[in-house]
Amino acid sequence: MYLNCHSYYSLRYGTISPEKLLAISAKNGFKTMALTDINNTSACLDFVRLSKKYNIKPVLGVDFRNGAKQQFVMLAKNNKGFHNINRYLSTFLHNASLTIPNEADVLEDALVIYPYKYGKNFNLKKFEYLGVKPEDLNKIKFSKWNQNREKLVVFQSVSFENKKGFNTHRLLRAIDNNTLLSKLDKSEEGKEADIMLSAKVLSEVYNEFPEIIENTKSVLNQCSVNFDFSGDIPNNQKSYTKSEDLDFKLLKKLTYDGLDYRYKKPDGVIFNRIEKELSIIKEKNFVSYFLMNWKILKYARSKNYYYVGRGSGANSIVAYLLRITDVDPVELDLYFERFINLYRKNPPDFDIDFSWTDRDDITEFIFKTFKNTALLAVYNTFKFKASVRELGKVFGLPKAEIDMLSKGHYNIKTLDKLSQLVIVYSEYIQGFPNYLGIHASGIIISEKPIHYYTATFFPPKGFATTNFDMVVAEDIGLYKFDILSQRGLGKIKDTVNIVKYNHPEKPPIDIHDIKGFKTDENIKHILRNAQAIGCFYVESPAMRMLLKKLQVDNYLGLVAASSIIRPGVSKSGMMREYILRYRNPERCKTAHPVLLNIMPETYGVMVYQEDVIKVAHYFGGLTLAEADKLRRGMSGKFRSRDEFLSVKQLFFNNCKQKGEPLDVVEEIWKQIESFAGYAFAKGHSASYAVESYQSLFLKAYYPLEYMVATINNFGGFYSTELYVHEARMHGGIIEAPCVNTSFNEAFIKGKIIYLGFMFLHGLEAKTIQKLLLERDKNGVFKSLDDFIERINISVEQTAILIKINAFRFTGVNKRELLWSAHLKISKTVVQDHVINLFETERVQYKTPELPSTALENAFDALELLGFTLCNPFSLLEQKAVQPLRAALLPKFKNRNISIEAYLVTTKNTRTSNGKYMHFGTFLDFDGDFIDTVHFPPVASKYPFRGKGIYTITGKVIDEFDCITIEVITMEKLAIIQDPRYSDPSPKFITNTKLKIG
């Protein structure tokens, strides 16, 4: 009986989840209902999927509105009608300048309902109706429609469940309109009566117009949509060549053609693996999926784009031979059934990483090559802290109070009523969808037009994007292609090019010589000593410490390390057990013999997703179909706990029948369950390790060039400052930007690294462009006057360049240059340079002698770059007094020490009882790393106070040859006053020995 129902995907309007809407409908005795979200179809497919659970026939449609003003509602008579409605809605979502018209277009298999307005003349077509709300009934009696009731239908809207829902709606409308609740226009609100009435009450409301009830039933009876949620048949593009038989022949040919590139002497193991995979790929209808990935990467190679293929697809030899991945599954003994088995409904994941500079071109190629393509959306939801801020503004709270509430610094019982309402409703709307965003990597390529399933919108990225997310896409059999952006690949590509110009005498680098890299002694040394700063994921503090504990120096060790650091393994306690068994093989005897037999390579410890499947299958007696549920649970895409719990009892029953001790079974299940949503496939880890080896090779042999590439790609785990420091530690000479030498990006010449103009805060892109174009055209600048004559920019932009010492080649003090610039550059609006027939002689002003100091230079750099180019310890108010250095800490094991250190980064986490603790990464006086642990009592008493140098007092702990300091006290040291804004300060301290950047 309801033709106009809104879920909370009527963004910033509705307040009911799609499932709750179905539950309310069932409770009120209805067997059919229409979902018509406002200009949105996000919830439609999930609504259909869930409707069976509530024994309700779903009807789909859209409420077309301009802002809050309702124009009309469209309902789909069938799937074709839904397709047409999606396509129609998309025309408006793709073009923000278009408004919804007063009269709907004629769409095949779509019904239209206009909201009744007294006195308005409606010329209704056969498929059009008038929606009558309860408040319209009296007016109907005195209109022509009282005699023409066959076109009238019930139009009671459902947007809220109850009064609280209506109040929430008003708050969402105020947020949407960026206004105070008290100033929200009534035209922007729904009506408090827009709730679901029971069938009995609704009949009583319309009892004088029984025809309206019957007409409404007739409309609903005309509508029926069906979608298959079994997942048995993928709905991705079915054929690459327009023929599934030709597809398979092509896949087979490409697979065998790839043998020469990958294997010198393929043996029976390889041929058997190929045939086994091809057979299952064909049977599961995944052939076109492989070929489309191959096509995308063939194009990437033609453009010399670097890429890494990873995900569960890295377990496939077919993917390896098609050059989708670079991981040899035979060499690594990758578990085939993790990649694909007859019980698996969805194709394997191919997560393809590209450089951030190349990804958009790849995306454009995909859209041009494949007909039915769209990006996947994500639902950006209301988060508690952000909601507090939004609602605080809606209620008109002062900023200080909003800040206090958002930080959680309050006792709710002592808050005033408005502040309490902010907290209550912030909690209530937490998780509501707020707006649609773009999935980080997901693209779908469908056999049917995308609009068969959903409307699309057109975000700034410039590609059509679905209204639903990847979970809904997979529910309907649309499996995404993951095209990701990664700065690590940009660093590798750029380093190779930088080496070409900085070392033209050296032969070209073969960055794909992974086999050679695996045996390289210099790379082994870097790994063993955890000196991999800048090298992909192995540079993080946690990974650096793990490498030290394991003393990894080989490929398989690195593959395992990248997986055991994941939360599932580390939180279950098995990361520590793995380290113990790695360092002491005798300890393997304590492992369960079945587990050790299944996983000898990882000492009987589950490390990879494959291990979980093997243990479930061989130890727990689960079938591969049942074990596949665990695979889905480990993916993190679904309700992973439910996936695990569905086979838990089977696992325990099977183990009991085999006579396994209950405590052993419980411990093993605890380990299995810890993988939910966190585990890596072994092939995935191996793919990461391949890229790491490329980075490690460049870091080992071309550290300065690699650091320049890292800086230009905006770093990795750390800030630009640390990579500048790392370059200096490798003998690099760091120079501030110079107008005659620097470019937009950092540039290296020999061992001298000139930072780029793009790192200067406040320097505009157009200024940089003008400077570089003029220098390229007419040569270097001879003086500041020459620069001012040739580059028409504001005094403020010129001042930035002067303050960073970009005119140091003139030999003139920069204070004098600033004075001169302010005198000589016009304060009027800057216009493009006009060429004069005769050059006029510039007036030369006598500037006073204004010496600047190295200390002022340091603070200028801190302001413009975000870090100093001098030694940060030199800025201390009192000279560093602690003689201890990181290199000496092993001599003080289990002793309390004090040391001064410069903060690099922190990681915050919670203990099992919810208290905050921290891990810190610092640099000592000599530029070496110090790692700290801050347990909750210390974390609360001695918090981090931002960037700077701290005196740390704590106990030196040695765990598996990895040194950390358990902090007891920590004090941030004062730096000298900024001399640019203060009285003369103590003499600037220099120390050429210090290496920190």
Side-chain angles (χ1 to χ4, degrees), residues 127 189 225 269 313 362 459 512 555 582 786 838 855 888 910 956:
F127 54 86
E189 297 179 15
V225 292
V269 172
I362 291 291
H512 300 289
Y555 176 58
Y582 180 93
D786 183 38
F838 304 99
L855 187 53
L888 299 174
R910 287 180 184 266
V956 178

Side-chain angles (χ1 to χ4, degrees), residues 407-529:
K407 291 174 183 175
H409 298 161
Y410 60 83
N411 179 343
I412 194 158
K413 294 178 181 177
T414 63
L415 294 177
D416 60 44
K417 188 173 182 181
L418 280 184
S419 294
Q420 286 183 348
L421 286 173
V422 167
I423 299 302
V424 168
Y425 279 97
S426 293
E427 289 175 347
Y428 187 68
I429 67 172
Q430 190 173 351
F432 277 33
N434 185 8
Y435 60 92
L436 296 182
I438 307 173
H439 186 275
S441 61
I443 299 176
I444 54 173
I445 303 173
S446 172
E447 176 68 17
K448 294 186 175 78
I450 298 297
H451 293 145
Y452 181 82
Y453 303 100
T454 177
T456 54
F457 68 104
F458 215 62
K461 202 168 183 68
F463 300 107
T465 306
T466 63
N467 276 190
F468 55 57
D469 70 358
M470 71 176 199
V471 175
V472 175
E474 290 205 7
D475 282 342
I476 204 68
L478 290 169
Y479 302 109
K480 63 182 170 55
F481 293 73
D482 283 306
I483 307 298
L484 298 104
S485 169
Q486 193 210 106
R487 296 192 183 277
L489 291 166
K491 292 191 284 185
I492 292 169
K493 181 180 177 181
D494 289 354
T495 304
V496 172
N497 292 329
I498 292 168
V499 171
K500 280 182 186 176
Y501 77 68
N502 203 36
H503 296 286
E505 76 287 355
K506 295 197 174 183
I509 296 171
D510 181 5
I511 201 61
H512 300 289
D513 180 24
I514 305 301
K515 289 184 178 177
F517 299 165
K518 290 175 185 176
T519 58
D520 188 288
E521 287 301 322
N522 288 332
I523 294 176
K524 287 177 180 286
H525 175 81
I526 287 177
L527 278 173
R528 270 195 304 270
N529 294 280

Side-chain angles (χ1 to χ4, degrees), residues 103-133:
E103 192 172 325
D105 284 10
V106 176
L107 303 183
E108 188 178 354
D109 293 320
L111 304 176
V112 180
I113 304 163
Y114 293 100
Y116 173 76
K117 290 182 182 177
Y118 183 70
K120 182 178 178 180
N121 187 34
F122 292 93
N123 296 311
L124 298 178
K125 303 178 182 71
K126 182 180 178 181
F127 54 86
E128 294 179 331
Y129 298 86
L130 272 186
V132 181
K133 293 180 180 292

Side-chain angles (χ1 to χ4, degrees), residues 979-996:
R980 302 170 304 170
Y981 311 110
S982 63
D983 293 330
S985 302
K987 188 177 178 181
F988 179 59
I989 304 165
T990 59
N991 188 325
T992 54
K993 179 186 174 186
L994 204 57
K995 300 174 183 176
I996 298 173

